[in-house]
Amino acid sequence: MRETDSDLELRIATMDDAEIVADLEAARDPEDPRDPTMLRFWWAARAPDEPHLELVAESDGAAMAFVGAGHEPWETMPKRFGWIRPLLHPTIWSETRFGRLVDAAESWLRDEQGGIAVARAREKLPDELRIYEVRGYREVRRSKVWELDLVAGREKLLAGAQSSREQMEQQGVRLLTLDLDDGPDRLAELYELTIAAERDIPTTVPWRTAPYDEWHRFWFQNPGVRDDRFWIAREGAKMVGLSVIGFPPKRGAAWTFFTGTSRSVRGRGVARALKYATVAQAIALGAQRVRTNNDGENAPILHLNAAMGYRLVDPVIELHRELNS
């Protein structure tokens, strides 16, 4: 295609476009193809008060480009951060086309009175990073994507799961899946534990505390999550930890969505035991690999990943740009 062709006629995306946008993401990163069912859910699960934009350009029924952007309600943020996500099919990739997508996202954010544009890009996509940098974006944080080979590491991982479970039993900590928990207020406990653990994750863009209904919808209407695959830890009557792997219904690797513990039990191996429990279950379910993404300054979880045998796949770089500069 010539750069003057009308191959990037962007239109408003609908829920029905989730499948072709997921295919576009899979073309950009075949090693981690996006599951269309999960993408449709992420779109549908957004907070009702979160302004957002989705644009798509297609050719012969396939998505060639996508522009996503959004922000939290401004009254909830000390600074007006807004995120952008431009995607371009590798078969038509060019600096000019990708720049147009960035322009479209930034223009929408400016119309929304946004102050700082936040973009995230894999380190293995240097052409995209270069375009951001030329436009004035600067690296602020980076997270690390890890992958665990469940086939090659099977015996070691199962042994680790057994020994860590025994360690928890010695400490009086029970590991169980949420469907087996009979706590009368288990969901309220889980909500409080999750929110508290999220607040301890290093970040530059502030975390928004989701209200209970929004949190519940995110976790328990999620097509990749089930109660019998959602692991928790209890010490006595108190819920002190959780870890959950999301299993995409159609394609792609399983991902550890979240692992967290109460401050009161940190340093006792509870997070390790929970992660091992989820991994042992993933092996039993026939999964071949699990991925996880952690902030680059979250030293405890990075150390745990390395000890379990995760290998670093690719950093995700978070870049910021002042929109009025």
Side-chain angles (χ1 to χ4, degrees):
M1 294 183 179
R2 301 186 310 275
E3 295 239 357
T4 56
D5 288 348
S6 59
D7 57 302
L8 289 186
E9 293 185 357
L10 294 164
R11 61 168 175 80
I12 299 294
T14 69
M15 285 292 176
D16 291 336
D17 292 313
E19 185 160 356
I20 63 171
V21 174
D23 289 342
L24 168 60
E25 295 208 36
R28 292 179 69 250
D29 190 358
E31 294 182 359
D32 184 30
R34 175 77 73 175
D35 185 286
T37 304
M38 293 300 301
L39 183 60
R40 186 183 183 94
F41 170 74
W42 299 135
W43 286 2
R46 286 197 185 93
D49 58 350
E50 178 185 331
H52 58 87
L53 170 76
E54 287 88 28
L55 303 174
V56 65
E58 62 178 302
S59 175
D60 297 326
M64 292 288 104
F66 173 78
V67 175
H71 63 84
E72 303 286 358
W74 296 135
E75 60 271 17
T76 68
M77 307 191 76
K79 293 184 179 181
R80 293 194 169 196
F81 292 99
W83 58 269
I84 69 170
R85 183 163 173 74
L87 307 174
L88 187 61
H89 200 285
T91 59
I92 65 164
W93 203 94
S94 74
E95 292 188 8
T96 301
R97 288 192 181 104
F98 189 78
R100 291 175 190 162
L101 302 183
V102 176
D103 286 341
E106 289 183 346
S107 176
W108 180 84
L109 268 183
R110 287 192 181 92
D111 289 344
E112 288 286 306
Q113 306 302 310
I116 301 172
V118 179
R120 294 178 175 89
R122 295 281 180 91
E123 192 175 56
K124 68 181 180 182
L125 299 174
D127 291 337
E128 292 188 8
L129 288 169
R130 184 179 64 254
I131 291 172
Y132 284 127
E133 289 167 0
V134 167
R135 288 168 170 261
Y137 285 81
R138 295 294 178 262
E139 178 178 338
V140 174
R141 304 191 73 86
R142 64 173 57 204
S143 61
K144 296 184 177 182
V145 176
W146 303 73
E147 184 171 287
L148 184 62
D149 187 333
L150 303 184
V151 178
R154 183 178 188 277
E155 298 307 320
K156 179 181 177 182
L157 292 167
L158 292 178
Q162 179 63 28
S163 64
S164 62
R165 178 179 285 273
E166 292 172 356
Q167 181 187 14
M168 291 300 99
E169 290 174 354
Q170 293 169 5
Q171 296 184 32
V173 176
R174 292 180 296 136
L175 305 180
L176 67 161
T177 50
L178 195 60
D179 63 313
L180 300 178
D181 185 57
D182 58 3
D185 299 314
R186 61 178 189 150
L187 293 184
E189 289 182 86
L190 187 61
Y191 172 70
E192 295 297 332
L193 175 61
T194 304
I195 297 302
E198 284 180 346
R199 288 173 179 156
D200 289 337
I201 299 173
T203 186
T204 301
V205 179
W207 287 92
R208 175 177 180 266
T209 299
Y212 178 84
D213 289 347
E214 183 183 321
W215 169 88
H216 187 276
R217 182 173 64 251
F218 177 87
W219 284 111
F220 298 104
Q221 294 180 19
N222 191 316
V225 174
R226 290 176 22 173
D227 285 10
D228 60 351
R229 300 175 185 175
F230 199 124
W231 286 83
I232 63 169
R234 281 194 180 275
E235 184 172 38
K238 184 179 180 182
M239 188 182 296
V240 294
L242 72 145
S243 187
V244 56
I245 289 178
F247 294 85
K250 293 186 177 181
R251 69 184 181 201
W255 277 79
T256 296
F257 283 170
F258 192 66
T259 298
T261 61
S262 299
R263 291 185 179 182
S264 62
V265 299
R266 289 178 192 168
R268 292 171 49 189
V270 176
R272 178 189 300 270
L274 284 165
K275 285 200 72 168
Y276 267 119
T278 65
V279 165
Q281 185 178 52
I283 291 172
L285 292 169
Q288 296 187 343
R289 59 192 178 118
V290 172
R291 286 191 167 195
T292 188
N293 186 8
N294 306 107
D295 186 85
E297 295 182 11
N298 193 345
I301 201 70
L302 298 179
H303 176 74
L304 173 56
N305 289 345
M308 290 181 67
Y310 283 81
R311 67 177 183 89
L312 186 60
V313 178
D314 190 34
V316 176
I317 301 173
E318 180 179 314
L319 306 108
H320 292 194
R321 178 192 175 190
E322 296 276 354
L323 287 176
N324 58 3
S325 60

